[in-house]
């Protein structure tokens, strides 16, 4: 890939390696979406090494911290799921295959997650969908915000980066969110959306392509840099 796409690289987007057990795995890849294909095997590999005094194995390949809170109506289908300490999986949430949920994460009512990594203290608390995505430390999706992960024509997802299109080689790809990203309620993140750390997305908008760190996305053609405090 083009060396000029540094802003899209794993090491650029995620600066909190201490806040995800997946960080050593993600660091193997130049671009974070490349890690999604092998997430299944990585979870199988690391799951067997998790401390038994902290994690309880449920089924063949689901590991849940004894300090996590799981609502009785939540569905953890798996396979290959890790849920960290202090995480809260609330009523009617659906956790599907190949998911790593970090410590202190809030997965709310009717939220669905599949083939994704959620760093520690991520908030997806109300009617959200997270598919084929990586959400950085303390990122937050407002109510009903979702990561769309499949184009209507089923072709490979490309990331719009300035005037270039970066072909990810993936038919399914949601969003890559840096640390402390705030996404407003009702917002749709189109397939291949990448948002740099500390950026804010207005509610009820549609986002496509790359949003730089420390910016405010108001609408597609109105993205402004945050004022220094």
């Amino acid at each position: 890939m083009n060396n000029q796409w540094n802003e899209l690289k794993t090491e650029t987007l995620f600066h909190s390696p201490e806040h995800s057990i997946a960080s050593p795995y993600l660091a193997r890849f130049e671009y974070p979406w490349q890690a999604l294909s092998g997430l299944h095997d990585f979870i199988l590999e690391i799951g067997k090494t998790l401390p038994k005094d902290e994690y309880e194995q449920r089924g063949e390949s689901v590991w849940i911290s004894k300090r996590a809170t799981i609502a009785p109506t939540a569905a953890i289908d798996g396979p290959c799921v890790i849920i960290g300490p202090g995480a809260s999986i609330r009523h009617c949430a659906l956790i599907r295959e190949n998911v790593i949920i970090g410590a202190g994460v809030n997965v709310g009512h009717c939220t669905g997650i599949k083939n994704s990594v959620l760093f520690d203290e991520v908030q997806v608390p109300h009617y959200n969908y997270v598919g084929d995505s990586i959400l950085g430390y303390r990122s937050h999706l407002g109510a009903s915000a979702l990561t769309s992960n499949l184009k209507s024509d089923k072709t490979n997802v490309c990331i719009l980066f300035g005037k270039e299109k970066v072909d990810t080689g993936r038919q399914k790809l949601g969003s890559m969110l840096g640390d402390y990203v705030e996404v407003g309620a009702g917002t749709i993140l189109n397939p291949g959306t990448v948002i740099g750390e500390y950026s804010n997305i207005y509610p009820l908008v549609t986002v496509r392509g790359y949003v730089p760190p420390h910016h405010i996305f108001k609408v597609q053609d109105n993205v402004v840099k945050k004022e220094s405090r």
Side-chain angles (χ1 to χ4, degrees), residues 1 4 9-10 30 38 51 54 62 71 75-76 96 108 126-127 134 136 145 149 170 181 187 192 201 205 216 219 227:
M1 286 193 176
Q4 295 179 351
K9 290 184 176 180
T10 304
E30 187 174 17
E54 174 67 64
V62 174
I76 302 173
R96 292 168 58 193
H126 307 288
Y127 303 99
I134 302 175
N149 63 339
R170 292 186 57 86
V181 166
T187 287
I201 309 299
V205 297
I216 299 172
V219 292
E227 294 182 4

Side-chain angles (χ1 to χ4, degrees), residues 6-214:
N6 290 325
E7 291 91 337
L8 304 179
K9 290 184 176 180
T10 304
E11 63 183 9
T12 305
L13 285 170
F14 303 109
H15 293 150
S16 301
E18 71 277 17
H19 286 299
S20 178
I21 61 172
S23 291
Y25 171 70
L26 297 177
R28 301 177 196 173
F29 300 92
E30 187 174 17
Y31 298 95
W33 57 84
Q34 296 170 332
L36 295 174
S37 295
L39 197 52
H40 177 95
D41 291 340
F42 172 71
I43 293 173
L44 286 180
E45 172 191 327
I46 196 173
K48 298 171 185 176
T49 70
L50 294 172
K52 290 183 170 52
D53 60 343
E54 174 67 64
Y55 286 86
E56 174 187 2
Q57 185 171 352
R58 300 188 188 180
E60 231 174 84
S61 55
V62 174
W63 292 270
I64 300 176
S65 170
K66 296 174 184 179
R67 292 187 285 148
T69 302
I70 312 296
T73 56
I76 302 173
D77 288 353
C80 294
V81 172
I82 296 173
I83 298 176
S88 176
I89 312 301
R90 297 183 177 174
H91 289 283
C92 299
L94 173 60
I95 312 299
R96 292 168 58 193
E97 69 277 6
N98 311 329
V99 171
I100 296 177
I101 293 174
V105 169
N106 180 359
V107 179
H109 174 62
C110 290
T111 292
I113 304 176
K114 56 88 67 172
N115 203 53
S116 295
V117 176
L118 277 60
F119 276 58
D120 297 348
E121 298 187 46
V122 165
Q123 299 285 311
V124 284
H126 307 288
Y127 303 99
N128 303 115
Y129 175 67
V130 180
D132 300 280
S133 298
I134 302 175
L135 276 54
Y137 177 58
R138 286 197 171 184
S139 57
H140 168 245
L141 298 185
S144 300
L146 56 86
T147 65
S148 178
N149 63 339
L150 181 66
K151 295 170 62 177
S152 58
D153 62 4
K154 309 301 191 295
T155 57
N156 281 356
V157 175
C158 293
I159 296 171
L160 293 180
F161 186 70
K163 296 181 179 180
E164 297 183 83
K165 286 186 177 181
V166 181
D167 189 347
T168 66
R170 292 186 57 86
Q171 188 180 28
K172 286 191 174 183
L173 177 63
S175 298
M176 307 285 114
L177 271 56
D179 300 343
Y180 295 97
V181 166
E182 289 281 341
V183 177
T187 287
I188 297 175
L189 305 179
N190 275 304
T193 294
V194 178
I195 304 175
E197 62 183 1
Y198 290 97
S199 282
N200 292 62
I201 309 299
Y202 267 24
L204 297 174
V205 297
T206 300
V207 185
R208 187 180 182 206
Y210 172 67
V211 179
H214 300 275

